[in-house]
Amino acid sequence: MTDARSEAAAGTTQPGSPLASPAADRATGELLELSLGYLYSAALHTAARFGIADHLADGPRDADELAKAAGVDAQHLYRLLRFLATKDVFREDDEGRFHLTALAQPLRTDTERSLRDYILVRGEPVFWESAAQLHEAVRTGTTAFENQYGVPFYDHVAANPELGRAFNSSMAAFSETLTNDVVGACDFSGASTVVDVGGGRGGLLRAVLRRNPRLTGTLFDLESVVAGHVLDTPELAGRWSTQPGDFFSSVPSGADVYLLKHVLASWPDERCAAILRSCREAMPAHGRLLVINALIPAGNDPHPGKTIDMLMMTVLNGKGRTRAEYEALLAAAGFRVARVLEPTPHASVVEAVVAG
């Protein structure tokens, strides 16, 4: 008879065997690592909060030097950075000094495509506490944030101005990392006017106008959001305007192109339908609508859209969607999909026109 040891050596240990195979050992280790994934989020948030990447911008430093610059405990900071270095966020050399890595660079405040503001906000209690209630959202088909706080996320943000400012900055930071790829993929030839619907502070619209000097644009969002716009630069003088409003009711009319970037994933189908109806009613017959969101692909491979879908389930009452689901939403609102581009997995572009 084959004993457990020979089974283990052959990598064919049966269920219930006292010895695990190497594959089972690896699976156990990976599952344990996944179960503690929240510690990486906490560590990233902590490094961002204390500006560690900024303190390393001029070269490597040891934990004592960094702790003095950041005003934190040196031993605890060393343990934190050693932990992050296992994922190549910072790197420790043989002298105990820590270096910036490619993964650590976006934690700086003064670098292109900085994600520091985004990571800071994602470490706030509203996100942690909502994630802890994911099981209740799955059980009931509701939204974890609303179960925890009793109001929708955007209502909570509106009632907490400091959180609102931080959240808007975080979304601007996230958007900025994708803007050039998205704008480079979009075709604005033949257009003279564009409206960025729910455009936040206007980072996308600014990039569109810079790349397309014949365009003029309107930034449309809540009054408290557009008040912090970033459009007032000399090169764009006279080519932009802001208009506050509620995209569930109406949007500015008559433009050639309408943008909806990272808007529809934040809302359930019925609310998306209202937004799309507002756009459809405002658009002329020749108008185009560019819906920019991650599209969830088939299969088991990791994808940003699947991660965003979990974030929507915990914090917002929205969801990630497949291409077919976006096509169905658009068709119900009177649109036809003309083409789909994927400049980045985080932001596919679904170009829609008025169904004729």
Side-chain angles (χ1 to χ4, degrees):
M1 294 180 62
T2 303
D3 63 18
R5 285 172 294 183
S6 62
E7 288 179 352
T12 58
T13 303
Q14 299 300 311
S17 171
L19 295 179
S21 69
D25 286 342
R26 286 194 298 273
T28 299
E30 290 175 10
L31 191 59
L32 287 172
E33 186 80 359
L34 283 171
S35 75
L36 296 172
Y38 64 92
L39 293 175
Y40 292 107
S41 298
L44 281 173
H45 173 80
T46 302
R49 179 178 290 274
F50 294 119
I52 301 303
D54 287 339
H55 293 309
L56 289 173
D58 293 328
R61 305 171 81 173
D62 63 30
D64 288 337
E65 295 172 308
L66 285 169
K68 184 176 181 180
V72 299
D73 181 82
Q75 290 187 355
H76 277 50
L77 179 60
Y78 173 78
R79 293 161 64 186
L80 176 86
L81 297 179
R82 178 178 62 186
F83 176 64
L84 285 172
T86 66
K87 297 297 185 183
D88 202 32
V89 181
F90 308 113
R91 177 179 63 82
E92 184 183 8
D93 64 25
D94 293 338
E95 285 76 43
R97 298 174 303 173
F98 286 93
H99 299 244
L100 283 174
T101 60
L103 278 180
Q105 285 286 352
L107 289 173
R108 292 174 54 184
T109 56
D110 60 349
T111 189
E112 185 179 1
R113 298 191 174 195
S114 172
L115 283 172
R116 181 173 182 262
D117 285 350
Y118 184 88
I119 290 170
L120 276 175
V121 170
R122 293 318 179 275
E124 290 297 319
V126 290
F127 288 93
W128 285 99
E129 293 172 0
S130 299
Q133 295 300 315
L134 179 59
H135 64 281
E136 186 66 10
V138 171
R139 185 183 73 83
T140 61
T142 55
T143 304
F145 182 91
E146 293 182 25
N147 293 336
Q148 181 74 13
Y149 287 87
V151 295
F153 176 78
Y154 286 122
D155 290 353
H156 180 81
V157 168
N160 293 269
E162 185 175 349
L163 175 62
R165 286 189 292 270
F167 177 74
N168 290 334
S169 293
S170 79
M171 292 309 298
F174 173 64
S175 180
E176 190 69 22
T177 66
L178 310 174
T179 293
N180 289 335
D181 293 334
V182 170
V183 174
C186 295
D187 178 14
F188 293 94
S189 60
S192 60
T193 54
V194 58
V195 175
D196 193 357
V197 178
R201 300 193 306 186
L204 175 63
L205 181 58
R206 180 180 60 187
V208 167
L209 296 179
R210 282 175 172 170
R211 193 178 182 95
N212 300 274
R214 293 189 300 274
L215 282 178
T216 59
T218 299
L219 177 65
F220 181 79
D221 210 317
L222 298 174
E223 184 171 8
S224 61
V225 178
V226 298
H229 72 82
V230 295
L231 298 170
D232 194 8
T233 63
E235 63 186 309
L236 300 183
R239 297 176 52 210
W240 60 270
S241 64
T242 64
Q243 184 173 329
D246 178 1
F247 51 40
F248 293 115
S249 300
S250 65
V251 302
S253 62
D256 299 314
V257 179
Y258 287 78
L259 306 174
L260 277 174
K261 181 169 180 280
H262 292 145
V263 172
L264 297 186
S266 299
W267 301 98
D269 288 354
E270 62 272 15
R271 301 293 271 169
C272 288
I275 297 169
L276 291 172
R277 282 196 300 269
S278 293
C279 293
R280 173 65 185 86
E281 291 168 3
M283 285 174 59
H286 69 272
R288 290 183 290 149
L289 174 66
L290 304 183
V291 175
I292 304 164
N293 274 114
L295 298 183
I296 298 179
N300 300 313
D301 291 337
H303 190 274
K306 298 175 184 179
T307 305
I308 291 168
D309 188 41
M310 288 296 96
L311 181 62
M312 296 302 101
M313 191 187 299
T314 56
V315 178
L316 297 169
N317 192 19
K319 63 179 182 178
R321 294 179 175 88
T322 64
R323 172 174 176 166
E325 288 172 324
Y326 274 114
E327 288 178 339
L329 277 178
L330 288 160
F335 290 98
R336 173 180 60 82
V337 173
R339 61 175 176 165
V340 176
L341 308 170
E342 190 170 338
T344 164
H346 285 275
S348 296
V349 181
V350 180
E351 182 176 328
V353 296
V354 176

